[in-house]
């Protein structure tokens, strides 16, 4: 194939896609096609190939296939939501920043989150430590969380969940523990998920 | 109008409204399943991937800002899943044979000829590199624009076009080598 054929075949494909081509290009293509049997063959074959691709249809499926699939998707989503109090807790913290458009690179956010989680975890795990230790760990955790870019909260949550495996630890905590953690760290800010959870059950 | 309704569903889904989630699954599960079937050529794999895609999408929906439309986003997640899947497990030859819906308006001979051609082309599409295959399926079968495909594959429009052109040329080469054309 001559190098120019490559270009003309691109033009033939472009025309088949309804892309606009310049008048000069169209003329040149016409002239080339008259002289080049290879590109004429290409032009002749192209519709059959595209038709062939379009003809391919999905296999016949058992009745109720899509109903079942939908039910299993919704079931899985419901399970994940209700079994993750720690997500509610962390999202409640994130909710404080939502809409403020803080632009901090996601990486620093992730680090902040991890530090925050680690400190909070340490604090949760040692309820018997002296009050002074608890309160400074608590403050540090809150400061780490303050620095998070909240636009990426979902990404951070996903990464932490997927790679750190912390969700199991947090899911093992009682709702009361979570509440204590949330209210200590987020002060008097309301839980933005409250409404979400309410409308779900309603 | 449909577009507005969809936006509302997405907004409600973001607030955790299960009814809206169900509506969105209802609207798109067939389309996404069909796309993933075309990518994997296997019903079970396509079903599993479709479920994973929807679960992932709705778990992350609070981070969805709607810049590129919900459908494009779905295709993006679906394509990433499909490409990862194909990396782990390229389609086996036995996955390829298919049933085709016949168009009653066509004469038997023409229908048969078309079906033959379609099965050859389908097999040839399976032989394309993963990303080229995705571009061809998204463009020809799913009817996405180059701009949409660019967002789905996270590449430039020019890149998508070039991939499509190369894929079509390659398909013809394959079919010619098999003496189909
Ligand atoms: Zn030529």
């Amino acid at each position: 194939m001559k190098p120019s054929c490559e270009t003309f075949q691109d033009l033939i494909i472009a025309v088949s896609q309804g892309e606009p081509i310049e008048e000069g290009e169209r003329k040149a293509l016409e002239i080339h096609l008259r002289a080049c049997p290879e590109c004429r063959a290409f032009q002749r074959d192209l519709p059959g190939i595209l038709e062939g691709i379009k003809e391919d249809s999905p296999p016949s499926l058992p009745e109720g296939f899509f109903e079942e699939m939908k039910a299993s998707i919704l079931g899985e989503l419901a399970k994940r939501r209700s079994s993750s109090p720690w997500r509610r807790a962390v999202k409640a913290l994130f909710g404080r920043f939502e809409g403020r458009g803080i632009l901090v690179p996601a990486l620093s956010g992730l680090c902040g989150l991890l530090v925050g989680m680690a400190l909070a975890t340490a604090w949760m795990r040692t309820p018997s430590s002296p009050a002074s230790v608890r309160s400074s760990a608590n403050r540090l955790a809150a400061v780490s969380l303050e620095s998070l870019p909240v636009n990426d909260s979902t990404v951070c949550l996903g990464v932490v969940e997927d790679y750190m495996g912390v969700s199991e630890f947090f899911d093992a905590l009682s709702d009361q523990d979570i509440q204590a953690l949330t209210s200590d760290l987020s002060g008097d800010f309301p839980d933005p998920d409250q409404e979400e959870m309410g409308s779900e059950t309603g | 109008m449909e577009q507005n309704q969809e936006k509302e569903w997405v907004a409600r889904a973001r607030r955790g409204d299960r009814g809206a989630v169900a509506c969105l699954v209802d609207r798109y599960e067939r389309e996404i399943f069909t796309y993933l079937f075309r990518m994997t050529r296997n019903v079970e794999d396509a079903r599993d991937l479709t479920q994973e895609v929807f679960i992932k999408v709705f778990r992350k929906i609070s981070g969805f800002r709607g810049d590129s439309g919900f459908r494009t986003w779905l295709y993006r997640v679906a394509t990433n899943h499909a490409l990862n899947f194909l990396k782990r497990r390229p389609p086996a030859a036995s996955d390829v044979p298919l049933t085709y819906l016949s168009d009653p308006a066509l004469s038997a001979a023409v229908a048969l000829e078309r079906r033959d051609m379609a099965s050859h082309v389908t097999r040839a599409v399976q032989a394309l590199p993963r990303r080229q295959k995705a571009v061809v399926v998204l463009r020809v079968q799913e009817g996405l624009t180059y701009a949409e495909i660019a967002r789905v594959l996270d590449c430039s429009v020019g890149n998508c076009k070039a991939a499509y052109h190369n894929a079509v040329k390659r398909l013809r080469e394959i079919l010619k080598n098999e003496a189909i054309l």
Side-chain angles (χ1 to χ4, degrees):
Chain A
M1 189 165 41
K2 298 185 285 289
S4 66
C5 285
E6 186 91 25
T7 315
F8 285 115
Q9 292 179 5
D10 279 325
L11 278 178
I12 294 168
I13 296 172
V15 170
S16 79
Q17 292 296 295
E19 291 167 35
I21 64 167
E22 285 167 24
E23 186 56 25
E25 289 176 321
R26 201 186 55 79
K27 276 258 158 65
L29 176 61
E30 233 170 66
I31 293 163
H32 180 81
L33 281 173
R34 262 182 254 146
C36 180
E38 171 60 22
C39 285
R40 278 205 302 277
F42 185 88
Q43 191 183 36
R44 191 193 58 226
D45 293 340
L46 188 58
I49 297 172
L50 297 182
E51 270 310 307
I53 300 172
K54 275 190 202 145
E55 282 275 305
D56 166 34
S57 45
S60 47
L61 297 164
E63 208 173 316
F65 181 86
F66 289 106
E67 279 305 309
E68 247 170 61
M69 191 159 78
K70 183 171 88 174
S72 109
I73 291 166
L74 297 178
E76 187 66 19
L77 283 169
K79 205 159 71 190
R80 282 176 191 272
R81 270 180 174 282
S82 57
S83 75
S84 268
W86 90 277
R87 284 180 71 87
R88 292 209 297 275
V90 179
K91 276 183 76 184
L93 293 170
F94 282 128
R96 303 169 60 188
F97 306 92
E98 213 112 56
R100 286 193 206 168
I102 308 166
L103 288 170
V104 184
L107 199 60
S108 82
L110 186 58
C111 293
L113 178 63
L114 294 179
V115 171
M117 299 305 287
L119 289 167
T121 305
W123 166 66
M124 292 300 293
R125 275 183 171 151
T126 54
S128 57
S129 47
S132 61
V133 174
R134 281 182 59 186
S135 86
S136 48
N138 186 347
R139 253 203 315 279
L140 263 170
V143 167
S144 322
L145 287 164
E146 284 275 8
S147 70
L148 290 183
V150 184
N151 284 347
D152 291 307
S153 64
T154 316
V155 178
C156 292
L157 281 176
V159 170
V160 171
E161 258 192 2
D162 293 346
Y163 297 110
M164 304 296 291
V166 294
S167 65
E168 269 169 39
F169 168 72
F170 277 88
D171 285 345
L173 297 173
S174 73
D175 275 357
Q176 239 175 349
D177 292 334
I178 294 286
Q179 203 123 65
L181 173 65
T182 317
S183 63
D184 266 21
L185 293 182
S186 67
D188 56 1
F189 287 89
D191 179 355
D193 268 351
Q194 213 79 66
E195 198 193 325
E196 179 179 321
M197 294 297 144
S199 69
E200 241 181 71
T201 48
Chain B
M1 191 221 85
E2 285 222 326
Q3 211 55 12
N4 284 342
Q5 189 187 40
E6 179 170 306
K7 272 193 179 149
E8 158 140 16
W9 283 345
V10 171
R12 278 167 49 197
R14 286 184 55 151
R15 296 196 297 268
D17 183 329
R18 282 187 197 179
V21 171
C23 287
L24 287 164
V25 174
D26 225 22
R27 173 174 284 184
Y28 286 114
E29 65 173 344
R30 283 170 180 76
E31 185 177 336
I32 295 298
F33 168 82
T34 304
Y35 169 55
L36 289 168
F37 173 76
R38 284 169 170 156
M39 291 298 284
T40 61
R41 307 314 303 184
N42 179 291
V43 171
E44 280 74 36
D45 293 336
R47 185 196 56 204
D48 293 349
L49 286 174
T50 305
Q51 292 181 178
E52 284 171 28
V53 166
F54 277 100
I55 288 163
K56 178 154 192 184
V57 158
F58 286 113
R59 279 180 67 199
K60 311 269 177 196
I61 197 160
S62 59
F64 173 62
R65 270 165 261 157
D67 305 338
S68 58
F70 183 73
R71 180 169 177 259
T72 310
W73 187 42
L74 263 181
Y75 271 106
R76 187 182 165 113
V77 176
T79 301
N80 285 338
H81 269 66
L83 293 178
N84 282 333
F85 175 86
L86 291 175
K87 196 173 176 180
R88 292 197 307 271
R89 206 206 69 132
S94 60
D95 291 343
V96 176
L98 290 164
T99 52
Y100 293 98
L101 302 176
S102 51
D103 182 345
L106 296 173
S107 77
V110 173
L112 193 69
E113 195 181 303
R114 277 225 194 154
R115 199 176 306 175
D116 277 355
M117 185 61 184
S119 68
H120 292 308
V121 173
T122 300
R123 225 190 22 246
V125 169
Q126 298 314 302
L128 292 174
R130 293 175 298 145
R131 274 173 80 88
Q132 276 187 16
K133 175 161 124 181
V135 171
V136 164
V137 173
L138 289 168
R139 182 79 192 103
V140 183
Q141 293 178 311
E142 309 299 317
L144 269 65
T145 63
Y146 283 129
E148 286 170 327
I149 297 171
R151 285 196 290 267
V152 166
L153 284 170
D154 205 10
C155 64
S156 71
V157 171
N159 242 315
C160 283
K161 270 190 198 177
Y164 178 78
H165 285 207
N166 290 336
V168 169
K169 288 179 201 159
R170 188 149 178 173
L171 283 176
R172 182 163 175 270
E173 281 306 304
I174 295 169
L175 293 167
K176 262 176 74 175
N177 289 343
E178 291 182 357
I180 310 294
L181 287 174

